Each structure stands twice: as C-alpha cells, then as structure tokens.
Amino acid sequence: MKKLIKRSTLLLTTLFSVVSCGNNGNTTDSEKSPIVEDKYIIQGRLSDYYIVIPNESKARIDFASSELAGFLEQATKCRLEVIKESQVKKNYKYISLGNTTQFQENVSDIDLSRLNGTHSAYFITTRNDNIYINSNIYGIGDGTLYGVYDMLNDMIDYKYYYEDDNFLPDIQSAPAQTEVKKN
C-alpha cells in the first residue's frame, strides 16, 4: 500500500517519448523513465479522459481498450468511455490506442516503421495531456495490448499472472503515467 501511495503522489519532472521494441519477441532488461508531471487520468474516482480507438478498429485494439477500461474501473470505480476517433472533440483528453487520426496528427514526427512485422513491440508517448499507445501500423500482434498492460502496471500496480489470476489494488486515483518501461 505504501508503494501505491508513493506512486500516486510522485511528482515527476520530464516529458518525453519512449519506444519499446522487442527483439523478435524477446525482451531485454527493462528501463524505467518518468514521463508525466503531477497529472492524473482518474482522481477521486472521477475522470475527464476517454479511450480513443480507430473507427475501423481490429479485434486486438477493441480488446486492449476493454482491458484498459475494465481494469481501471475495477481499481478506481471509475469507467472511462471508449469512443471512436471520429467522436473526439477538440477539448477532449484521451488515451489513444492504435493508429488513430489523433495519433497520426500528433505523433507524425515518429517513425514506427521499425515496429512493422513485430508481435509485441509498442510505442507509448504523451503529448498535450494525452497518451498515445501504438504498435505497428498494420495492427499485427499484441503490441498495443502489451503497452496497455505496462501502463496499467505503472499507473495502478496491475499485475497479470495468468488468465484467472491477476492483482488489482482498490484506489481512488490513477496517475496519468508514472513510468514507462523500455523492453
């Protein structure tokens, strides 16, 4: 519990991007880097964030969005609404999953071509209070889902052991993201 309280109150000082790439599915030692300063997706069981998915999303992105929304709700008692990219209004705060219009417009300076053909590699970054998680542009593999799981681990100490066994704390706030792992 003390670890969770420390994570929830940790003030971080830098904002930057991290690319996480597997080595043909093999992972290397993890590196952690702070990326958001005093920001919360959920605070006091309330949120003004949405989960954004492509208009023509694939089953893997749909599953990643349901995992993100479901586990955040279980931990915080606050459910983030999942919306299509075409429903996003100018003032919305969001977590973009996959190759959305928002990702293309706000993260176009990043070349994700080295993620093409990978199964578990993903890219995660923050820009203007929004979070972007994407794998390869073809939607092949589970990279975006792995990015969601890593983010959940950093935000709410989520742990996945196997299909019927996972750990979720009961908390009232979820920081925007305290750390990113680079695999």
Side-chain angles (χ1 to χ4, degrees):
M1 186 61 157
K2 287 182 181 180
K3 180 180 175 185
L4 184 59
I5 292 170
K6 284 182 185 177
R7 265 193 187 171
S8 295
T9 59
L10 187 59
L11 298 178
L12 302 169
T13 59
T14 58
L15 177 67
F16 62 92
S17 304
V18 175
V19 175
S20 175
C21 295
N23 193 3
N24 290 333
N26 299 327
T27 58
T28 59
D29 294 333
S30 292
E31 230 177 75
K32 292 186 177 184
S33 304
I35 67 167
V36 175
E37 180 182 331
D38 198 25
K39 304 281 183 178
Y40 291 86
I41 292 173
I42 299 168
Q43 191 165 22
R45 301 184 193 252
L46 299 172
S47 180
D48 55 356
Y49 274 80
Y50 295 88
I51 299 170
V52 178
I53 60 175
N55 288 331
E56 303 297 324
S57 64
K58 298 183 182 209
R60 293 172 193 262
I61 297 295
D62 292 341
F63 182 69
S65 68
S66 68
E67 291 284 272
L68 178 58
F71 288 128
L72 283 175
E73 181 179 24
Q74 285 180 39
T76 66
K77 309 300 185 265
C78 176
R79 181 145 185 109
L80 300 185
E81 184 179 350
V82 178
I83 62 174
K84 299 289 186 175
E85 63 189 337
S86 60
Q87 297 174 286
V88 175
K89 306 278 190 250
K90 187 174 182 119
N91 63 340
Y92 279 13
K93 292 181 184 177
Y94 54 82
I95 303 167
S96 169
L97 301 181
N99 200 30
T100 63
T101 302
Q102 290 72 26
F103 179 86
Q104 294 168 14
E105 291 173 354
N106 294 291
V107 194
S108 62
D109 58 324
I110 304 297
D111 178 16
L112 296 184
S113 63
R114 67 186 203 164
L115 302 182
N116 293 342
T118 64
H119 178 75
S120 60
Y122 65 87
F123 171 85
I124 184 169
T125 190
T126 58
R127 302 259 170 109
N128 301 321
D129 293 332
N130 299 310
I131 299 172
Y132 302 88
I133 304 174
N134 202 352
S135 56
N136 57 68
I137 62 171
Y138 305 109
I140 299 168
D142 293 320
T144 301
L145 177 63
Y146 295 152
V148 164
Y149 286 151
D150 279 350
M151 186 176 80
L152 284 168
N153 177 267
D154 289 338
M155 287 171 49
I156 62 172
D157 204 24
Y158 168 78
K159 304 228 184 322
Y160 178 87
Y161 297 107
Y162 54 89
E163 189 174 330
D164 294 346
D165 188 18
N166 53 47
F167 169 76
L168 276 169
D170 183 15
I171 60 176
Q172 292 187 17
S173 298
Q177 181 148 358
T178 56
E179 303 167 337
V180 170
K181 293 179 184 177
K182 183 177 179 184
N183 293 333

